[in-house]
Amino acid sequence: MKLKWTVMLISAVLLCGGCQSMLPQAPGLATAAWAAQNYQRQDQLEIQWKEQSFSFLLYQQQQGSKLEMLALTLTGQQLFKLSFDGRKVHVEQRIAPMKLLPFEFVVRDILYATYPNFAQLQQQNVRIETSAPARKVFINQQHVLNIQQQGDAIELNNVQVPYQMVISPINDGLANTDADSTE
């Protein structure tokens, strides 16, 4: 009997091993109202997930309908690179310790916290309860995210996965890329 269960378990692991489609999907991420625009932002992020802690610089840049995110260590080593097209997160590169990080949830939460009017782009049942300086995000009537503004920093607490994140903006690094800029 024990051998039977062991064989079934090994078979299931082999069938699902490395299968990204088995990772849970983040509700409230995909949006039909995603629009092309020029957008860029850089932040320092600290994420506490399970027993792991990550601290890195995150660069967001959207040109057209593709938003790209690039994470670097404070010394410049690339941690991950991904893109979001309004429907799906495409992880292009990542280091081994971040292999199981739930990127769809991380991207969704960063967008709700930092991207201009992301919650208004949703066609789904999204509700935001605001009581300064905090916001609670409900998707399909389920509480999924707490966002707390602490001075310049934004604290996120994902109640689904769960993990915590602190986003601290870096304002002096990116130059304005508009052609008519006079800076």
Side-chain angles (χ1 to χ4, degrees):
M1 184 73 164
K2 186 176 180 180
L3 180 61
K4 177 182 172 183
W5 286 109
T6 303
V7 169
M8 287 176 56
L9 178 62
I10 290 171
S11 298
V13 168
L14 290 174
L15 286 173
C16 295
C19 182
Q20 289 295 320
S21 64
M22 296 303 292
L23 294 176
Q25 303 297 307
L29 177 63
T31 174
W34 186 254
Q37 68 173 330
N38 288 326
Y39 170 76
Q40 60 182 359
R41 180 182 172 103
Q42 63 181 358
D43 299 288
Q44 181 172 343
L45 272 68
E46 296 176 32
I47 297 178
Q48 181 67 42
W49 178 63
K50 295 187 178 184
E51 309 82 42
Q52 298 186 357
S53 179
F54 303 102
S55 182
F56 54 88
L57 302 174
L58 180 72
Y59 298 92
Q60 298 180 60
Q61 181 170 340
Q62 180 178 355
Q63 293 179 329
S65 62
K66 184 178 180 182
L67 175 67
E68 294 181 328
M69 293 185 180
L70 175 66
L72 302 172
T73 65
L74 300 178
T75 59
Q77 176 191 4
Q78 185 171 315
L79 299 173
F80 65 82
K81 181 179 180 182
L82 58 85
S83 62
F84 177 66
D85 60 9
R87 294 179 307 279
K88 185 173 168 91
V89 173
H90 306 277
V91 179
E92 299 169 24
Q93 299 172 345
R94 64 179 155 222
I95 62 168
M98 292 186 161
K99 192 167 192 100
L100 297 177
L101 189 66
F103 281 105
E104 281 203 358
F105 289 90
V106 171
V107 170
R108 180 200 66 190
D109 298 348
I110 290 170
L111 292 175
Y112 276 98
T114 65
Y115 194 84
N117 302 315
F118 185 74
Q120 286 77 27
L121 298 176
Q122 297 301 314
Q123 303 291 319
Q124 300 178 24
N125 187 11
V126 174
R127 179 173 50 95
I128 309 288
E129 286 184 3
T130 303
S131 60
R135 292 180 282 162
K136 291 183 179 182
V137 178
F138 294 83
I139 300 173
N140 298 325
Q141 300 178 359
Q142 182 181 7
H143 181 206
V144 298
L145 178 65
N146 293 320
I147 303 171
Q148 177 98 17
Q149 189 75 39
Q150 295 287 346
D152 284 346
I154 302 168
E155 294 179 12
L156 302 179
N157 183 12
N158 183 305
V159 295
Q160 283 181 308
V161 173
Y163 65 82
Q164 294 78 40
M165 181 186 320
V166 176
I167 302 171
S168 302
I170 301 171
N171 296 320
D172 295 336
L174 288 178
N176 189 342
T177 59
D178 292 342
D180 58 23
S181 176
T182 57
E183 290 182 24

